[in-house]
Amino acid sequence: MQVKYQLSVSLIAASVAGIVSGPIAAQEPTRSTPQLEEIVVTVRKTAENLQRVPLAVTAFDQRGIEDAAIARLEDVAAFTPGLTFSNVFGDFLPAPVIRGMAPTDIFGENNTSIFVDGVYVSGREGLNFSQLDIERIEIVKGPQSAMYGRNSFSGAINIITGNPTDEFDGLLQAKVGNDGRFNGSATVSGPLLGDTLTGRLAVSHDEWDGSYDNANPRGNQNIGGYQYDTVQGKLAWAPAESLDVVFAGYYSNDQIDPTAIVGIPANCEDRNGVPGQPPGMRLQNYCGKFQGIDTGDIAVIPEATGEDRDVVRGSLTIDWRAGPGTLTSLTGYSSVDHKSLEDASWNQGDSYPWIYARTGGQLASFPSAVLRVDDGARTDEWSEELRWTSAQDRRVRYTGGLYYYSVERKTYEPTLIAQQALPADLAGLCPCIGPFFPGGPAVPIGTGAYGPWFTPNGSAGSNANQLNQTQDTNAWAVFAAIDADLTTQLTGRVELRYTDEEKKIKLPLAMESRTDRWDSWTGRASLSYQLTDATMFYGSLARGGKAAALIPSWTRC
């Protein structure tokens, strides 16, 4: 097991310590310094004025989210400098990347962590979820492992949902557009039992047909579209002046259409010299200028209906205010269940050519589409954070606490199902090698690999729907941070975190299991000088850590 670290040093002169999405407060014309509207963020796990946070932060308030029509992570990335988002293959492998720090293991955990109401979520298939009733989005850049821990190697994104209100409030919205675009949502918030119990509920239906027509003559489903049915709610209970309890829940059933992906046939680097293979049978690459694909040339077989995803999230936050500070308990749960039916013919659909050896040894081909049936992955995770935060109106302020995290991820073995029967004169499926003796036939070595795809239901002789891999991760951490006002304008801060993590992997089909464990220290030190209300100078030194992927021995090179 390896531990990956990042060291970041920054020295910034900023007019505002971050990028604020929101209006500037209206002012009377005076000669005084203009005052920006105060934006409160919680990137350091306490409420602070964004202009006084010595970190690179982009924050979107509710008005900014509405003005930019932000609905998912790709929208957040479009308006955030230094943040990119890749989601090129459905919602299988979404990857937010801050400052170019992309994960080297594309199937593993990201380097940028996602939080919802402060709770870390890791199930990748559910990261780009349907965002509903969002109050604020905070993107903090650079290593944040000291305060956020898991996988905040290059930064963190925290999504804060709307809170219940003391007075009745409601909102009804509907949006329509081309290509079947429709979004309807309703939000209601207000008191349930006076000031003691308040609630908030939001529901939405969001659908779009996508931008691509299906060129397959048998196909009638959309390409690149989606349909999300989402419900989200919060209950806030305040039984005493010193105690606040908030329960949040989220559920979404998502139908995601097949992705507009096209396979480009190889046209060069023929493996000539292989006995028994005519020229052009083993092209290995694509050479020349790529001419592009017309949107009307993208085809998906009708059996490939895309992805089916269920996302469940819940959190319980308890704040108890005692004289010198606040004790906070944050319990989180997240579950993502993801399945898919994908076109494995790579845009060649019903005409995908299969090379086979005829009886007698001659090579021939026949067309058949291939459906990829994937019972997908299920990720279940629990987390608990217990944190003490001192009063913030003192010259020296501090916070510290304990953190525990547990996740179980199961993946299932996909199978491929050919949509046409095998030809009557089949001797075997290629790739083919040989002849082993002069004049002999080609030897089909592909029968063992591809033969099960052509059996009834594509399951005979395969491992379809069987549990392929189980990964268990358990981690605990202790963390602390202290701020000190050295002068009225100069402030120093030190953060430190110790993490102990254990990972287990089980592969029932390969009868293999592995366990590994690592620990690490991560931290940050910063010094900031508040020249004016609108101008800050700060320097920061940070170290982030992340565990490497636990790779089965049979997959190592």
Side-chain angles (χ1 to χ4, degrees), residues 208-450:
W208 184 44
D209 291 344
S211 299
Y212 307 96
D213 295 326
N214 194 348
N216 189 305
R218 296 194 302 122
N220 55 9
Q221 79 275 47
N222 302 317
I223 301 177
Y226 56 78
Q227 177 178 307
Y228 300 142
D229 292 298
T230 309
V231 58
Q232 177 175 291
K234 273 188 179 181
L235 285 174
W237 181 45
E241 227 178 276
S242 60
L243 183 63
D244 290 322
V245 180
V246 178
F247 171 76
Y250 172 96
Y251 171 75
S252 187
N253 175 252
D254 306 331
Q255 308 294 324
I256 304 167
D257 294 338
T259 308
I261 295 179
V262 174
I264 306 301
N267 64 2
C268 65
E269 296 183 10
D270 187 11
R271 286 196 62 179
N272 291 326
V274 179
Q277 291 190 354
M281 294 301 292
R282 292 293 299 275
L283 301 176
Q284 301 178 95
N285 215 331
Y286 180 86
C287 302
K289 183 178 179 181
F290 179 59
Q291 300 301 319
I293 297 295
D294 213 359
T295 57
D297 293 335
I298 301 174
V300 174
I301 59 176
E303 294 81 6
T305 54
E307 304 166 58
D308 186 350
R309 178 178 70 183
D310 289 293
V311 180
V312 178
R313 295 199 178 105
S315 65
L316 177 64
T317 306
I318 303 174
D319 288 319
W320 177 54
R321 291 175 293 280
T326 302
L327 181 64
T328 299
S329 170
L330 177 57
T331 306
Y333 171 75
S334 177
S335 173
V336 179
D337 194 355
H338 183 268
K339 300 178 181 180
S340 67
L341 295 173
E342 299 292 327
D343 188 346
S345 309
W346 295 100
N347 201 57
Q348 298 188 60
D350 299 319
S351 61
Y352 188 89
W354 288 86
I355 310 300
Y356 73 101
R358 285 176 169 171
T359 304
Q362 300 87 358
L363 295 178
S365 68
F366 68 97
S368 177
V370 181
L371 178 69
R372 185 179 189 271
V373 181
D374 191 350
D375 274 355
R378 181 179 176 90
T379 304
D380 293 282
E381 52 191 317
W382 287 93
S383 65
E384 171 64 34
E385 181 175 284
L386 194 63
R387 181 176 72 250
W388 173 264
T389 304
S390 69
Q392 296 300 294
D393 57 353
R394 301 181 179 182
R395 183 174 179 181
V396 177
R397 304 165 297 278
Y398 61 89
T399 185
L402 301 172
Y403 178 77
Y404 175 75
Y405 172 83
S406 177
V407 60
E408 180 185 68
R409 177 175 171 82
K410 294 182 178 180
T411 57
Y412 293 85
E413 185 71 14
T415 189
L416 297 171
I417 303 177
Q419 303 301 294
Q420 300 293 331
L422 291 170
D425 59 350
L426 175 86
L429 292 166
C430 288
C432 300
I433 62 173
F436 288 146
F437 52 89
V443 179
I445 64 172
T447 302
Y450 309 135

Side-chain angles (χ1 to χ4, degrees), residues 42-352:
T42 55
V43 293
R44 298 196 297 182
K45 301 202 173 184
T46 186
E48 298 176 282
N49 184 345
L50 176 59
Q51 299 172 47
R52 295 181 176 272
V53 177
L55 292 170
V57 182
T58 299
F60 298 91
D61 61 10
Q62 194 169 35
R63 176 174 171 179
I65 293 170
E66 294 175 358
D67 290 346
I70 292 175
R72 278 168 292 281
L73 280 177
E74 53 259 54
D75 304 323
V76 177
F79 293 95
T80 304
L83 172 65
T84 60
F85 182 73
S86 172
N87 203 31
V88 296
F89 188 44
D91 274 297
F92 291 88
L93 296 171
V97 176
I98 291 179
R99 294 178 174 174
M101 297 294 295
T104 54
D105 176 15
I106 63 173
F107 298 103
E109 297 175 281
N110 287 318
N111 289 343
T112 299
S113 54
I114 306 292
F115 295 81
V116 178
D117 289 329
V119 176
Y120 173 72
V121 291
S122 70
R124 287 189 66 174
E125 295 86 355
L127 291 183
N128 195 32
F129 61 98
S130 173
Q131 295 180 16
L132 172 65
D133 192 26
I134 303 300
E135 179 179 293
R136 191 171 67 256
I137 301 174
E138 303 168 353
I139 303 96
V140 56
K141 304 163 190 176
Q144 304 299 323
S145 298
M147 292 304 293
Y148 287 94
R150 293 192 47 79
N151 298 342
S152 303
F153 186 65
S154 62
I157 301 172
N158 191 19
I159 299 169
I160 297 95
T161 59
N163 286 310
T165 54
D166 295 332
E167 298 180 357
F168 178 80
D169 188 16
L171 178 65
L172 187 64
Q173 289 182 315
K175 301 176 184 177
V176 295
N178 61 334
D179 296 322
R181 183 74 171 91
F182 174 78
N183 177 279
S185 64
T187 304
V188 61
S189 177
L192 300 176
L193 291 175
D195 296 335
T196 304
L197 183 66
T198 56
R200 189 179 187 96
L201 180 67
V203 295
S204 74
H205 174 84
D206 189 3
E207 65 176 85
W208 184 44
D209 291 344
S211 299
Y212 307 96
D213 295 326
N214 194 348
N216 189 305
R218 296 194 302 122
N220 55 9
Q221 79 275 47
N222 302 317
I223 301 177
Y226 56 78
Q227 177 178 307
Y228 300 142
D229 292 298
T230 309
V231 58
Q232 177 175 291
K234 273 188 179 181
L235 285 174
W237 181 45
E241 227 178 276
S242 60
L243 183 63
D244 290 322
V245 180
V246 178
F247 171 76
Y250 172 96
Y251 171 75
S252 187
N253 175 252
D254 306 331
Q255 308 294 324
I256 304 167
D257 294 338
T259 308
I261 295 179
V262 174
I264 306 301
N267 64 2
C268 65
E269 296 183 10
D270 187 11
R271 286 196 62 179
N272 291 326
V274 179
Q277 291 190 354
M281 294 301 292
R282 292 293 299 275
L283 301 176
Q284 301 178 95
N285 215 331
Y286 180 86
C287 302
K289 183 178 179 181
F290 179 59
Q291 300 301 319
I293 297 295
D294 213 359
T295 57
D297 293 335
I298 301 174
V300 174
I301 59 176
E303 294 81 6
T305 54
E307 304 166 58
D308 186 350
R309 178 178 70 183
D310 289 293
V311 180
V312 178
R313 295 199 178 105
S315 65
L316 177 64
T317 306
I318 303 174
D319 288 319
W320 177 54
R321 291 175 293 280
T326 302
L327 181 64
T328 299
S329 170
L330 177 57
T331 306
Y333 171 75
S334 177
S335 173
V336 179
D337 194 355
H338 183 268
K339 300 178 181 180
S340 67
L341 295 173
E342 299 292 327
D343 188 346
S345 309
W346 295 100
N347 201 57
Q348 298 188 60
D350 299 319
S351 61
Y352 188 89

